[in-house]
Amino acid sequence: MREELLRLERNGRVAIIRLHRPDALNALSLPLREALRRALAEIDADESIGAAIITGDEKAFAAGADVRTMRDWNREDAATNPDLRGAWEQLCSGRTPVIAAVAGFALGAGCELAMMCDFIIAADNARFGQPEIKLGTIPGSGGTQRLTRLVGRAKAMDMVLTGRLIDAIEAERCGLVARVVPLAALMDEAVKAASEIADLSAPVVQLARQAVNHALESTLAEGLRYERRLFEETFALEDRREGMSAFLEKRKPAFRSR
């Protein structure tokens, strides 16, 4: 099932998950979500993997949820279906840094999936949106919450209330996207970034992710206290001493993730 719905590849210490429902623009059906959950769990359990990439194809990263499946749901179905958010919980709680490499459409649940990743690298043909309101519903996996924190209230209200799509340049300008690259260079850029992260100290990468994510959930004063505690934790690591020694000795550090 996983091979039909997604493809899991390896490039050095980088895992690449390719969503693969080309006939449906990689719409996130429940079986695809379960396959994604299992792939993410497999990656998290493999300590030889230092970073991961989620991507689709040139036409679509993921063009939303599987509306055909959800059309006849009632409220209880939406609240209790175990496959609806399992992949999201695995992604958001995992140890592995994840980059979204987005080409084509990232709409609805696809845009939400991209926002759950640590950051987004977009091809110049990418388009983002939360068009759920045109289907008589609203985003249900972070599309109102993460989007607002990333782009601000005005832009989020515009996108959520009108269902308007934005291109890659606007997405970068408003803070949704970290980088925009030519379509032909998308995967090379994503693999390069993921490889750079994978070569760093894994515990320090985790502390850095925790610190940045905490900034979205705290006041500045509390966030600064949290950052200071994590900064102090790095001084208990061998990798911190190695990194500083390598800098002073003008050599590449040999991190051992401890």
Side-chain angles (χ1 to χ4, degrees), residues 6 8-9 23 33-34 68 73-74 86 104 106 111 124 135 153 158 172-173 178 180 192 198-199 233 235:
L6 60 78
L8 185 56
E9 307 167 12
D23 56 327
R33 293 177 194 224
E34 173 57 16
R68 187 178 301 278
W73 281 7
N74 57 30
C111 187
D124 50 14
L135 303 179
R153 178 181 180 276
D158 180 11
E172 182 184 32
R173 188 168 63 239
V180 178
K192 178 182 177 182
D199 285 343
E233 284 186 29
F235 281 76

Side-chain angles (χ1 to χ4, degrees), residues 187-199:
M187 289 310 298
D188 286 343
E189 189 76 9
V191 169
K192 178 182 177 182
S195 297
E196 290 173 352
I197 294 168
D199 285 343

Side-chain angles (χ1 to χ4, degrees), residues 200-223:
L200 299 172
S201 166
V204 175
V205 168
Q206 291 306 312
L207 293 173
R209 295 173 73 214
Q210 291 173 31
V212 173
N213 285 329
H214 192 77
L216 300 176
E217 303 170 0
S218 69
T219 64
L220 177 59
E222 200 282 323

Side-chain angles (χ1 to χ4, degrees), residues 21-252:
R21 289 189 71 207
D23 56 327
L25 293 177
N26 296 326
L28 294 160
S29 64
L30 296 182
L32 176 53
R33 293 177 194 224
E34 173 57 16
L36 178 58
R37 184 197 65 76
R38 295 199 308 269
L40 289 167
E42 182 179 324
I43 288 167
D44 260 352
D46 187 345
E47 294 187 358
S48 71
I49 294 174
I53 298 167
I54 298 177
T55 192
D57 55 41
E58 293 185 358
K59 292 183 178 179
F61 175 75
D66 191 339
V67 177
R68 187 178 301 278
T69 297
M70 300 173 72
R71 179 185 57 186
D72 296 325
W73 281 7
N74 57 30
R75 184 173 182 174
E76 183 178 358
D77 294 327
T80 62
N81 192 297
D83 294 331
L84 187 60
R85 296 184 177 86
W88 308 162
E89 294 168 2
Q90 180 67 48
L91 176 57
C92 294
S93 64
R95 68 158 188 88
T96 309
V98 182
I99 297 171
V102 177
F105 293 110
L107 307 181
C111 187
E112 290 172 315
L113 172 58
M115 289 191 289
M116 290 177 211
C117 297
D118 289 284
F119 61 92
I120 302 169
I121 299 177
D124 50 14
N125 75 332
R127 300 187 74 192
F128 299 85
Q130 298 291 163
E132 288 91 341
I133 202 159
K134 294 183 177 181
L135 303 179
T137 186
I138 69 170
S141 298
T144 64
Q145 302 303 300
R146 290 189 178 89
L147 184 65
T148 303
R149 285 165 169 77
L150 291 171
V151 307
R153 178 181 180 276
K155 183 72 72 175
M157 280 291 192
D158 180 11
M159 293 176 65
V160 170
L161 293 185
T162 69
R164 176 174 85 84
L165 308 189
I166 63 174
D167 63 20
I169 299 302
E170 184 175 357
E172 182 184 32
R173 188 168 63 239
C174 69
L176 176 59
V177 164
R179 314 179 194 179
V180 178
V181 299
L183 174 60
L186 176 63
M187 289 310 298
D188 286 343
E189 189 76 9
V191 169
K192 178 182 177 182
S195 297
E196 290 173 352
I197 294 168
D199 285 343
L200 299 172
S201 166
V204 175
V205 168
Q206 291 306 312
L207 293 173
R209 295 173 73 214
Q210 291 173 31
V212 173
N213 285 329
H214 192 77
L216 300 176
E217 303 170 0
S218 69
T219 64
L220 177 59
E222 200 282 323
L224 290 171
R225 288 192 294 270
Y226 185 79
E227 178 190 70
R228 184 175 65 197
R229 289 197 299 273
L230 298 189
F231 167 73
E232 291 165 358
E233 284 186 29
T234 67
F235 281 76
L237 297 171
E238 292 180 14
D239 285 342
R240 190 276 314 165
R241 179 175 292 277
E242 166 62 14
M244 292 186 174
S245 296
F247 173 79
L248 293 172
E249 295 165 11
K250 296 181 172 55
R251 60 175 175 81
K252 183 178 180 178

Side-chain angles (χ1 to χ4, degrees), residues 8-27:
L8 185 56
E9 307 167 12
R10 185 78 179 260
N11 187 317
R13 299 193 64 227
V14 176
I16 302 171
I17 299 174
R18 294 185 185 271
L19 308 179
H20 187 63
R21 289 189 71 207
D23 56 327
L25 293 177
N26 296 326

